[in-house]
Amino acid sequence: YFNYMQGHFSSDAEFMNFIYNIRVRSQFNIPIDVNEHDQLLTLSTCSYEFPETRTVVVARRIRAGESSTVDVSKATLNSNPLYPTEKYKEDGGTPPKVTDFQTALAAGQINWYDGGGKVSGSQTLVPNNQPATTPVTKPKVQATNPPIQTPTSAPVIQKATTAPKPAATNPPTKAATTPVQKTTNPPTATKPAG
C-alpha cells in the first residue's frame, strides 16, 4: 500500500517522489503545477470499491501572488491510474509502469513540475509498515520563496484512490467484553516551509 498519510519528508527529493506517487494514482490530471517549495493539504475518506479503500483528495496551498482560480476545463481523466492491487486481482488489467520522480522527470513524463529540477536527497518514502507520523528530521534550509500571504484554501491537485495499510490485530484478552479502542493518525501531508 502507498502511505498517503506521510507528513514528514527528509529531503526535497522525497517530497517530490511523494507527489509523483500521488499523481500516478490520481483518477484525474489536474492542471496544477507543484514543486519542492509547496505545502499540501490531504483529505481522506472511506470508499467501498474494495475493503479498506480510501479516496484521497490532495490540495496545494496557493502561492504568493497566485490566483485561486483554476481552469477546470483543462482537467482530464487519467486513462491509466495506478489502483490498489485488489482492483487488478478482481477486475484484471495491467498496472501502469511506475518509477520515481527523478526517473520520470528525466524521461520527460512529468508536465506538472515547475521547480528548478535540482531536488536533492533521497527519494525513499516512509515504508508502508511504519506509522505515517514517524518524525524525520529535515535539514534546515533557508527559504528561497517569499512567505505565502494568500488565503489558506487551495485548488484541488488530485483525487487518488488508494488502500491503506492492513489493520493490526489485537492480542487475545481474558476479558472478552473489554472494548478495544481504535486509534488513527490524522491524515496530514504537509511539507513545512523552508
Side-chain angles (χ1 to χ4, degrees):
Y1 298 112
F2 171 61
N3 184 2
Y4 68 89
M5 294 191 317
Q6 181 174 351
H8 300 279
F9 303 90
S10 62
S11 68
D12 289 342
E14 183 183 15
F15 179 65
M16 292 311 302
N17 198 35
F18 175 79
I19 295 170
Y20 167 78
N21 274 274
I22 289 171
R23 292 195 75 129
V24 297
R25 288 165 170 80
S26 177
Q27 294 177 356
F28 302 97
N29 298 312
I30 306 296
I32 301 293
D33 293 332
V34 184
N35 67 49
E36 59 273 16
H37 303 291
D38 289 322
Q39 293 180 326
L40 305 177
L41 170 70
T42 301
L43 306 173
S44 171
T45 189
C46 296
S47 54
Y48 300 97
E49 297 88 350
F50 307 98
E52 299 300 319
T53 300
R54 302 291 185 265
T55 296
V56 180
V57 176
V58 180
R60 175 181 55 78
R61 187 174 186 176
I62 298 170
R63 298 173 185 159
E66 181 179 44
S67 170
S68 62
T69 304
V70 175
D71 185 357
V72 294
S73 69
K74 294 181 180 178
T76 60
L77 285 174
N78 183 349
S79 62
N80 195 17
L82 178 61
Y83 289 106
T85 305
E86 290 79 10
K87 177 170 178 31
Y88 299 105
K89 287 179 185 175
E90 186 173 305
D91 297 339
T94 304
K97 182 180 179 193
V98 176
T99 58
D100 57 59
F101 170 73
Q102 291 177 338
T103 302
L105 183 64
Q109 299 169 342
I110 293 178
N111 63 0
W112 46 263
Y113 176 68
D114 66 348
K118 296 180 181 177
V119 294
S120 60
S122 171
Q123 293 189 103
T124 304
L125 298 172
V126 171
N128 297 331
N129 60 353
Q130 291 186 6
T133 57
T134 302
V136 180
T137 304
K138 182 173 179 182
K140 296 286 182 189
V141 178
Q142 182 72 20
T144 57
N145 55 338
I148 297 174
Q149 301 171 354
T150 56
T152 57
S153 62
V156 172
I157 296 174
Q158 303 294 301
K159 178 184 176 195
T161 302
T162 62
K165 303 173 282 192
T169 57
N170 294 317
T173 61
K174 291 183 181 179
T177 59
T178 303
V180 177
Q181 292 183 336
K182 283 186 166 182
T183 59
T184 58
N185 295 323
T188 58
T190 60
K191 178 177 175 277

PDB file of all heavy atoms in Angstrom, residues 138-174:
ATOM      1  N   LYS A 138      14.305  17.004   8.921  1.00  0.00           N
ATOM      2  CA  LYS A 138      14.741  17.574   7.650  1.00  0.00           C
ATOM      3  C   LYS A 138      15.741  18.668   7.948  1.00  0.00           C
ATOM      4  O   LYS A 138      15.514  19.498   8.824  1.00  0.00           O
ATOM      5  CB  LYS A 138      13.553  18.143   6.880  1.00  0.00           C
ATOM      6  CG  LYS A 138      13.967  18.704   5.540  1.00  0.00           C
ATOM      7  CD  LYS A 138      12.804  19.117   4.716  1.00  0.00           C
ATOM      8  CE  LYS A 138      13.330  19.686   3.413  1.00  0.00           C
ATOM      9  NZ  LYS A 138      12.307  20.165   2.566  1.00  0.00           N
ATOM     10  N   PRO A 139      16.863  18.670   7.230  1.00  0.00           N
ATOM     11  CA  PRO A 139      17.847  19.721   7.474  1.00  0.00           C
ATOM     12  C   PRO A 139      17.235  21.101   7.254  1.00  0.00           C
ATOM     13  O   PRO A 139      16.422  21.290   6.363  1.00  0.00           O
ATOM     14  CB  PRO A 139      18.927  19.450   6.422  1.00  0.00           C
ATOM     15  CG  PRO A 139      18.646  18.102   5.870  1.00  0.00           C
ATOM     16  CD  PRO A 139      17.228  17.781   6.168  1.00  0.00           C
ATOM     17  N   LYS A 140      17.621  22.056   8.096  1.00  0.00           N
ATOM     18  CA  LYS A 140      17.125  23.416   7.954  1.00  0.00           C
ATOM     19  C   LYS A 140      17.753  24.060   6.718  1.00  0.00           C
ATOM     20  O   LYS A 140      18.951  24.033   6.529  1.00  0.00           O
ATOM     21  CB  LYS A 140      17.474  24.253   9.184  1.00  0.00           C
ATOM     22  CG  LYS A 140      16.807  23.766  10.441  1.00  0.00           C
ATOM     23  CD  LYS A 140      15.357  24.109  10.427  1.00  0.00           C
ATOM     24  CE  LYS A 140      14.703  23.660  11.733  1.00  0.00           C
ATOM     25  NZ  LYS A 140      13.304  23.756  11.714  1.00  0.00           N
ATOM     26  N   VAL A 141      16.911  24.605   5.863  1.00  0.00           N
ATOM     27  CA  VAL A 141      17.369  25.255   4.644  1.00  0.00           C
ATOM     28  C   VAL A 141      16.726  26.628   4.594  1.00  0.00           C
ATOM     29  O   VAL A 141      15.546  26.774   4.906  1.00  0.00           O
ATOM     30  CB  VAL A 141      16.959  24.427   3.401  1.00  0.00           C
ATOM     31  CG1 VAL A 141      17.398  25.127   2.128  1.00  0.00           C
ATOM     32  CG2 VAL A 141      17.538  23.036   3.472  1.00  0.00           C
ATOM     33  N   GLN A 142      17.487  27.616   4.198  1.00  0.00           N
ATOM     34  CA  GLN A 142      16.942  28.966   4.058  1.00  0.00           C
ATOM     35  C   GLN A 142      15.888  28.962   2.960  1.00  0.00           C
ATOM     36  O   GLN A 142      16.124  28.477   1.862  1.00  0.00           O
ATOM     37  CB  GLN A 142      18.076  29.945   3.701  1.00  0.00           C
ATOM     38  CG  GLN A 142      17.629  31.385   3.574  1.00  0.00           C
ATOM     39  CD  GLN A 142      17.290  31.999   4.921  1.00  0.00           C
ATOM     40  OE1 GLN A 142      17.712  31.517   5.957  1.00  0.00           O
ATOM     41  NE2 GLN A 142      16.527  33.074   4.907  1.00  0.00           N
ATOM     42  N   ALA A 143      14.698  29.466   3.234  1.00  0.00           N
ATOM     43  CA  ALA A 143      13.629  29.512   2.243  1.00  0.00           C
ATOM     44  C   ALA A 143      14.034  30.422   1.094  1.00  0.00           C
ATOM     45  O   ALA A 143      14.593  31.495   1.308  1.00  0.00           O
ATOM     46  CB  ALA A 143      12.334  30.012   2.878  1.00  0.00           C
ATOM     47  N   THR A 144      13.741  29.967  -0.131  1.00  0.00           N
ATOM     48  CA  THR A 144      14.072  30.770  -1.297  1.00  0.00           C
ATOM     49  C   THR A 144      12.849  31.469  -1.871  1.00  0.00           C
ATOM     50  O   THR A 144      12.983  32.285  -2.753  1.00  0.00           O
ATOM     51  CB  THR A 144      14.698  29.897  -2.399  1.00  0.00           C
ATOM     52  OG1 THR A 144      13.776  28.858  -2.721  1.00  0.00           O
ATOM     53  CG2 THR A 144      16.020  29.301  -1.935  1.00  0.00           C
ATOM     54  N   ASN A 145      11.676  31.107  -1.373  1.00  0.00           N
ATOM     55  CA  ASN A 145      10.476  31.770  -1.867  1.00  0.00           C
ATOM     56  C   ASN A 145       9.891  32.637  -0.758  1.00  0.00           C
ATOM     57  O   ASN A 145      10.080  32.368   0.409  1.00  0.00           O
ATOM     58  CB  ASN A 145       9.447  30.759  -2.386  1.00  0.00           C
ATOM     59  CG  ASN A 145       9.094  29.714  -1.359  1.00  0.00           C
ATOM     60  OD1 ASN A 145       9.845  29.468  -0.435  1.00  0.00           O
ATOM     61  ND2 ASN A 145       7.959  29.085  -1.519  1.00  0.00           N
ATOM     62  N   PRO A 146       9.180  33.714  -1.101  1.00  0.00           N
ATOM     63  CA  PRO A 146       8.646  34.611  -0.086  1.00  0.00           C
ATOM     64  C   PRO A 146       7.537  33.928   0.708  1.00  0.00           C
ATOM     65  O   PRO A 146       6.933  32.967   0.240  1.00  0.00           O
ATOM     66  CB  PRO A 146       8.077  35.774  -0.918  1.00  0.00           C
ATOM     67  CG  PRO A 146       7.815  35.193  -2.248  1.00  0.00           C
ATOM     68  CD  PRO A 146       8.846  34.118  -2.448  1.00  0.00           C
ATOM     69  N   PRO A 147       7.267  34.416   1.912  1.00  0.00           N
ATOM     70  CA  PRO A 147       6.169  33.843   2.689  1.00  0.00           C
ATOM     71  C   PRO A 147       4.855  33.960   1.923  1.00  0.00           C
ATOM     72  O   PRO A 147       4.627  34.938   1.215  1.00  0.00           O
ATOM     73  CB  PRO A 147       6.128  34.703   3.959  1.00  0.00           C
ATOM     74  CG  PRO A 147       7.390  35.489   3.969  1.00  0.00           C
ATOM     75  CD  PRO A 147       7.903  35.522   2.573  1.00  0.00           C
ATOM     76  N   ILE A 148       4.022  32.970   2.081  1.00  0.00           N
ATOM     77  CA  ILE A 148       2.742  32.970   1.382  1.00  0.00           C
ATOM     78  C   ILE A 148       1.785  33.879   2.128  1.00  0.00           C
ATOM     79  O   ILE A 148       1.608  33.757   3.328  1.00  0.00           O
ATOM     80  CB  ILE A 148       2.201  31.535   1.279  1.00  0.00           C
ATOM     81  CG1 ILE A 148       3.168  30.710   0.447  1.00  0.00           C
ATOM     82  CG2 ILE A 148       0.805  31.516   0.695  1.00  0.00           C
ATOM     83  CD1 ILE A 148       2.852  29.249   0.381  1.00  0.00           C
ATOM     84  N   GLN A 149       1.163  34.808   1.410  1.00  0.00           N
ATOM     85  CA  GLN A 149       0.279  35.780   2.023  1.00  0.00           C
ATOM     86  C   GLN A 149      -1.134  35.674   1.463  1.00  0.00           C
ATOM     87  O   GLN A 149      -1.879  36.621   1.472  1.00  0.00           O
ATOM     88  CB  GLN A 149       0.827  37.182   1.773  1.00  0.00           C
ATOM     89  CG  GLN A 149       2.211  37.383   2.328  1.00  0.00           C
ATOM     90  CD  GLN A 149       2.800  38.701   1.877  1.00  0.00           C
ATOM     91  OE1 GLN A 149       2.234  39.407   1.069  1.00  0.00           O
ATOM     92  NE2 GLN A 149       3.968  39.026   2.400  1.00  0.00           N
ATOM     93  N   THR A 150      -1.473  34.496   0.965  1.00  0.00           N
ATOM     94  CA  THR A 150      -2.792  34.290   0.386  1.00  0.00           C
ATOM     95  C   THR A 150      -3.631  33.452   1.338  1.00  0.00           C
ATOM     96  O   THR A 150      -3.115  32.886   2.290  1.00  0.00           O
ATOM     97  CB  THR A 150      -2.676  33.565  -0.967  1.00  0.00           C
ATOM     98  OG1 THR A 150      -1.962  32.361  -0.766  1.00  0.00           O
ATOM     99  CG2 THR A 150      -1.954  34.418  -1.984  1.00  0.00           C
ATOM    100  N   PRO A 151      -4.932  33.344   1.085  1.00  0.00           N
ATOM    101  CA  PRO A 151      -5.783  32.529   1.945  1.00  0.00           C
ATOM    102  C   PRO A 151      -5.286  31.088   1.997  1.00  0.00           C
ATOM    103  O   PRO A 151      -4.586  30.629   1.113  1.00  0.00           O
ATOM    104  CB  PRO A 151      -7.158  32.605   1.263  1.00  0.00           C
ATOM    105  CG  PRO A 151      -7.094  33.783   0.376  1.00  0.00           C
ATOM    106  CD  PRO A 151      -5.654  33.957   0.002  1.00  0.00           C
ATOM    107  N   THR A 152      -5.689  30.377   3.045  1.00  0.00           N
ATOM    108  CA  THR A 152      -5.214  29.009   3.206  1.00  0.00           C
ATOM    109  C   THR A 152      -5.974  28.010   2.343  1.00  0.00           C
ATOM    110  O   THR A 152      -5.593  26.865   2.263  1.00  0.00           O
ATOM    111  CB  THR A 152      -5.307  28.573   4.676  1.00  0.00           C
ATOM    112  OG1 THR A 152      -6.671  28.724   5.099  1.00  0.00           O
ATOM    113  CG2 THR A 152      -4.381  29.396   5.543  1.00  0.00           C
ATOM    114  N   SER A 153      -7.055  28.427   1.693  1.00  0.00           N
ATOM    115  CA  SER A 153      -7.739  27.496   0.811  1.00  0.00           C
ATOM    116  C   SER A 153      -6.873  27.260  -0.416  1.00  0.00           C
ATOM    117  O   SER A 153      -6.058  28.079  -0.778  1.00  0.00           O
ATOM    118  CB  SER A 153      -9.104  28.046   0.398  1.00  0.00           C
ATOM    119  OG  SER A 153      -8.931  29.249  -0.310  1.00  0.00           O
ATOM    120  N   ALA A 154      -7.040  26.096  -1.049  1.00  0.00           N
ATOM    121  CA  ALA A 154      -6.172  25.766  -2.172  1.00  0.00           C
ATOM    122  C   ALA A 154      -6.946  25.013  -3.236  1.00  0.00           C
ATOM    123  O   ALA A 154      -7.910  24.332  -2.938  1.00  0.00           O
ATOM    124  CB  ALA A 154      -5.010  24.908  -1.689  1.00  0.00           C
ATOM    125  N   PRO A 155      -6.521  25.142  -4.481  1.00  0.00           N
ATOM    126  CA  PRO A 155      -7.159  24.353  -5.525  1.00  0.00           C
ATOM    127  C   PRO A 155      -6.819  22.882  -5.361  1.00  0.00           C
ATOM    128  O   PRO A 155      -5.773  22.533  -4.837  1.00  0.00           O
ATOM    129  CB  PRO A 155      -6.545  24.912  -6.817  1.00  0.00           C
ATOM    130  CG  PRO A 155      -5.262  25.534  -6.386  1.00  0.00           C
ATOM    131  CD  PRO A 155      -5.469  26.002  -4.980  1.00  0.00           C
ATOM    132  N   VAL A 156      -7.721  22.040  -5.788  1.00  0.00           N
ATOM    133  CA  VAL A 156      -7.503  20.607  -5.689  1.00  0.00           C
ATOM    134  C   VAL A 156      -6.438  20.174  -6.684  1.00  0.00           C
ATOM    135  O   VAL A 156      -6.478  20.555  -7.837  1.00  0.00           O
ATOM    136  CB  VAL A 156      -8.822  19.844  -5.962  1.00  0.00           C
ATOM    137  CG1 VAL A 156      -8.584  18.359  -6.056  1.00  0.00           C
ATOM    138  CG2 VAL A 156      -9.829  20.170  -4.883  1.00  0.00           C
ATOM    139  N   ILE A 157      -5.480  19.370  -6.227  1.00  0.00           N
ATOM    140  CA  ILE A 157      -4.465  18.827  -7.118  1.00  0.00           C
ATOM    141  C   ILE A 157      -4.920  17.476  -7.650  1.00  0.00           C
ATOM    142  O   ILE A 157      -4.938  17.218  -8.819  1.00  0.00           O
ATOM    143  CB  ILE A 157      -3.123  18.638  -6.394  1.00  0.00           C
ATOM    144  CG1 ILE A 157      -2.562  19.981  -5.953  1.00  0.00           C
ATOM    145  CG2 ILE A 157      -2.122  17.932  -7.287  1.00  0.00           C
ATOM    146  CD1 ILE A 157      -1.323  19.856  -5.116  1.00  0.00           C
ATOM    147  N   GLN A 158      -5.303  16.600  -6.763  1.00  0.00           N
ATOM    148  CA  GLN A 158      -5.542  15.209  -7.133  1.00  0.00           C
ATOM    149  C   GLN A 158      -6.747  14.625  -6.423  1.00  0.00           C
ATOM    150  O   GLN A 158      -7.124  15.063  -5.363  1.00  0.00           O
ATOM    151  CB  GLN A 158      -4.339  14.335  -6.720  1.00  0.00           C
ATOM    152  CG  GLN A 158      -3.019  14.767  -7.286  1.00  0.00           C
ATOM    153  CD  GLN A 158      -2.969  14.630  -8.762  1.00  0.00           C
ATOM    154  OE1 GLN A 158      -3.148  13.539  -9.276  1.00  0.00           O
ATOM    155  NE2 GLN A 158      -2.772  15.699  -9.458  1.00  0.00           N
ATOM    156  N   LYS A 159      -7.250  13.567  -6.984  1.00  0.00           N
ATOM    157  CA  LYS A 159      -8.119  12.642  -6.278  1.00  0.00           C
ATOM    158  C   LYS A 159      -7.535  11.284  -6.584  1.00  0.00           C
ATOM    159  O   LYS A 159      -7.534  10.847  -7.724  1.00  0.00           O
ATOM    160  CB  LYS A 159      -9.559  12.723  -6.771  1.00  0.00           C
ATOM    161  CG  LYS A 159     -10.450  11.716  -6.075  1.00  0.00           C
ATOM    162  CD  LYS A 159     -11.843  11.726  -6.635  1.00  0.00           C
ATOM    163  CE  LYS A 159     -12.662  10.644  -5.966  1.00  0.00           C
ATOM    164  NZ  LYS A 159     -13.878  10.384  -6.680  1.00  0.00           N
ATOM    165  N   ALA A 160      -6.981  10.644  -5.595  1.00  0.00           N
ATOM    166  CA  ALA A 160      -6.319   9.365  -5.827  1.00  0.00           C
ATOM    167  C   ALA A 160      -6.961   8.316  -4.954  1.00  0.00           C
ATOM    168  O   ALA A 160      -7.214   8.545  -3.786  1.00  0.00           O
ATOM    169  CB  ALA A 160      -4.835   9.467  -5.500  1.00  0.00           C
ATOM    170  N   THR A 161      -7.258   7.167  -5.502  1.00  0.00           N
ATOM    171  CA  THR A 161      -7.832   6.084  -4.734  1.00  0.00           C
ATOM    172  C   THR A 161      -6.702   5.152  -4.341  1.00  0.00           C
ATOM    173  O   THR A 161      -5.987   4.647  -5.195  1.00  0.00           O
ATOM    174  CB  THR A 161      -8.882   5.317  -5.553  1.00  0.00           C
ATOM    175  OG1 THR A 161      -9.874   6.246  -5.955  1.00  0.00           O
ATOM    176  CG2 THR A 161      -9.513   4.212  -4.745  1.00  0.00           C
ATOM    177  N   THR A 162      -6.544   4.972  -3.041  1.00  0.00           N
ATOM    178  CA  THR A 162      -5.513   4.076  -2.544  1.00  0.00           C
ATOM    179  C   THR A 162      -6.100   3.225  -1.435  1.00  0.00           C
ATOM    180  O   THR A 162      -7.152   3.534  -0.897  1.00  0.00           O
ATOM    181  CB  THR A 162      -4.315   4.855  -1.962  1.00  0.00           C
ATOM    182  OG1 THR A 162      -4.784   5.627  -0.858  1.00  0.00           O
ATOM    183  CG2 THR A 162      -3.671   5.749  -3.003  1.00  0.00           C
ATOM    184  N   ALA A 163      -5.425   2.188  -1.094  1.00  0.00           N
ATOM    185  CA  ALA A 163      -5.833   1.360   0.029  1.00  0.00           C
ATOM    186  C   ALA A 163      -4.806   1.532   1.133  1.00  0.00           C
ATOM    187  O   ALA A 163      -3.616   1.568   0.873  1.00  0.00           O
ATOM    188  CB  ALA A 163      -5.923  -0.104  -0.394  1.00  0.00           C
ATOM    189  N   PRO A 164      -5.236   1.657   2.396  1.00  0.00           N
ATOM    190  CA  PRO A 164      -4.300   1.855   3.483  1.00  0.00           C
ATOM    191  C   PRO A 164      -3.648   0.551   3.912  1.00  0.00           C
ATOM    192  O   PRO A 164      -3.979  -0.517   3.419  1.00  0.00           O
ATOM    193  CB  PRO A 164      -5.186   2.407   4.598  1.00  0.00           C
ATOM    194  CG  PRO A 164      -6.493   1.746   4.348  1.00  0.00           C
ATOM    195  CD  PRO A 164      -6.610   1.669   2.838  1.00  0.00           C
ATOM    196  N   LYS A 165      -2.760   0.682   4.892  1.00  0.00           N
ATOM    197  CA  LYS A 165      -2.103  -0.486   5.452  1.00  0.00           C
ATOM    198  C   LYS A 165      -3.140  -1.380   6.116  1.00  0.00           C
ATOM    199  O   LYS A 165      -4.140  -0.904   6.626  1.00  0.00           O
ATOM    200  CB  LYS A 165      -1.079  -0.048   6.502  1.00  0.00           C
ATOM    201  CG  LYS A 165      -0.049   0.893   5.972  1.00  0.00           C
ATOM    202  CD  LYS A 165       0.815   1.407   7.087  1.00  0.00           C
ATOM    203  CE  LYS A 165       0.035   2.482   7.827  1.00  0.00           C
ATOM    204  NZ  LYS A 165       0.783   3.260   8.740  1.00  0.00           N
ATOM    205  N   PRO A 166      -2.886  -2.722   6.146  1.00  0.00           N
ATOM    206  CA  PRO A 166      -3.814  -3.605   6.849  1.00  0.00           C
ATOM    207  C   PRO A 166      -3.856  -3.252   8.337  1.00  0.00           C
ATOM    208  O   PRO A 166      -2.846  -2.838   8.905  1.00  0.00           O
ATOM    209  CB  PRO A 166      -3.233  -5.002   6.637  1.00  0.00           C
ATOM    210  CG  PRO A 166      -2.119  -4.854   5.671  1.00  0.00           C
ATOM    211  CD  PRO A 166      -1.797  -3.413   5.517  1.00  0.00           C
ATOM    212  N   ALA A 167      -5.003  -3.426   8.951  1.00  0.00           N
ATOM    213  CA  ALA A 167      -5.154  -3.110  10.365  1.00  0.00           C
ATOM    214  C   ALA A 167      -4.382  -4.115  11.206  1.00  0.00           C
ATOM    215  O   ALA A 167      -4.318  -5.303  10.879  1.00  0.00           O
ATOM    216  CB  ALA A 167      -6.644  -3.138  10.749  1.00  0.00           C
ATOM    217  N   ALA A 168      -3.802  -3.645  12.296  1.00  0.00           N
ATOM    218  CA  ALA A 168      -3.082  -4.533  13.198  1.00  0.00           C
ATOM    219  C   ALA A 168      -4.084  -5.342  14.004  1.00  0.00           C
ATOM    220  O   ALA A 168      -5.181  -4.891  14.303  1.00  0.00           O
ATOM    221  CB  ALA A 168      -2.202  -3.699  14.126  1.00  0.00           C
ATOM    222  N   THR A 169      -3.709  -6.556  14.347  1.00  0.00           N
ATOM    223  CA  THR A 169      -4.599  -7.389  15.146  1.00  0.00           C
ATOM    224  C   THR A 169      -4.263  -7.201  16.609  1.00  0.00           C
ATOM    225  O   THR A 169      -3.109  -7.000  16.979  1.00  0.00           O
ATOM    226  CB  THR A 169      -4.461  -8.874  14.764  1.00  0.00           C
ATOM    227  OG1 THR A 169      -3.089  -9.239  14.928  1.00  0.00           O
ATOM    228  CG2 THR A 169      -4.881  -9.104  13.328  1.00  0.00           C
ATOM    229  N   ASN A 170      -5.264  -7.288  17.458  1.00  0.00           N
ATOM    230  CA  ASN A 170      -5.069  -7.150  18.893  1.00  0.00           C
ATOM    231  C   ASN A 170      -4.857  -8.529  19.499  1.00  0.00           C
ATOM    232  O   ASN A 170      -5.507  -9.495  19.092  1.00  0.00           O
ATOM    233  CB  ASN A 170      -6.285  -6.497  19.549  1.00  0.00           C
ATOM    234  CG  ASN A 170      -6.451  -5.073  19.086  1.00  0.00           C
ATOM    235  OD1 ASN A 170      -5.472  -4.348  18.996  1.00  0.00           O
ATOM    236  ND2 ASN A 170      -7.677  -4.680  18.781  1.00  0.00           N
ATOM    237  N   PRO A 171      -3.968  -8.643  20.500  1.00  0.00           N
ATOM    238  CA  PRO A 171      -3.766  -9.934  21.135  1.00  0.00           C
ATOM    239  C   PRO A 171      -5.014 -10.341  21.910  1.00  0.00           C
ATOM    240  O   PRO A 171      -5.770  -9.481  22.371  1.00  0.00           O
ATOM    241  CB  PRO A 171      -2.579  -9.689  22.073  1.00  0.00           C
ATOM    242  CG  PRO A 171      -2.541  -8.211  22.278  1.00  0.00           C
ATOM    243  CD  PRO A 171      -3.138  -7.605  21.056  1.00  0.00           C
ATOM    244  N   PRO A 172      -5.270 -11.649  22.052  1.00  0.00           N
ATOM    245  CA  PRO A 172      -6.460 -12.083  22.794  1.00  0.00           C
ATOM    246  C   PRO A 172      -6.370 -11.650  24.256  1.00  0.00           C
ATOM    247  O   PRO A 172      -5.291 -11.600  24.827  1.00  0.00           O
ATOM    248  CB  PRO A 172      -6.444 -13.605  22.650  1.00  0.00           C
ATOM    249  CG  PRO A 172      -5.074 -13.952  22.190  1.00  0.00           C
ATOM    250  CD  PRO A 172      -4.479 -12.747  21.562  1.00  0.00           C
ATOM    251  N   THR A 173      -7.512 -11.339  24.828  1.00  0.00           N
ATOM    252  CA  THR A 173      -7.556 -10.964  26.239  1.00  0.00           C
ATOM    253  C   THR A 173      -8.512 -11.884  26.958  1.00  0.00           C
ATOM    254  O   THR A 173      -9.384 -12.514  26.349  1.00  0.00           O
ATOM    255  CB  THR A 173      -8.041  -9.508  26.403  1.00  0.00           C
ATOM    256  OG1 THR A 173      -9.359  -9.416  25.863  1.00  0.00           O
ATOM    257  CG2 THR A 173      -7.126  -8.529  25.707  1.00  0.00           C
ATOM    258  N   LYS A 174      -8.350 -11.963  28.301  1.00  0.00           N
ATOM    259  CA  LYS A 174      -9.231 -12.805  29.104  1.00  0.00           C
ATOM    260  C   LYS A 174     -10.617 -12.198  29.211  1.00  0.00           C
ATOM    261  O   LYS A 174     -11.598 -12.900  29.271  1.00  0.00           O
ATOM    262  CB  LYS A 174      -8.637 -13.017  30.501  1.00  0.00           C
ATOM    263  CG  LYS A 174      -7.395 -13.889  30.475  1.00  0.00           C
ATOM    264  CD  LYS A 174      -6.898 -14.126  31.875  1.00  0.00           C
ATOM    265  CE  LYS A 174      -5.646 -14.991  31.823  1.00  0.00           C
ATOM    266  NZ  LYS A 174      -5.120 -15.239  33.153  1.00  0.00           N
TER     267      LYS A 174
END
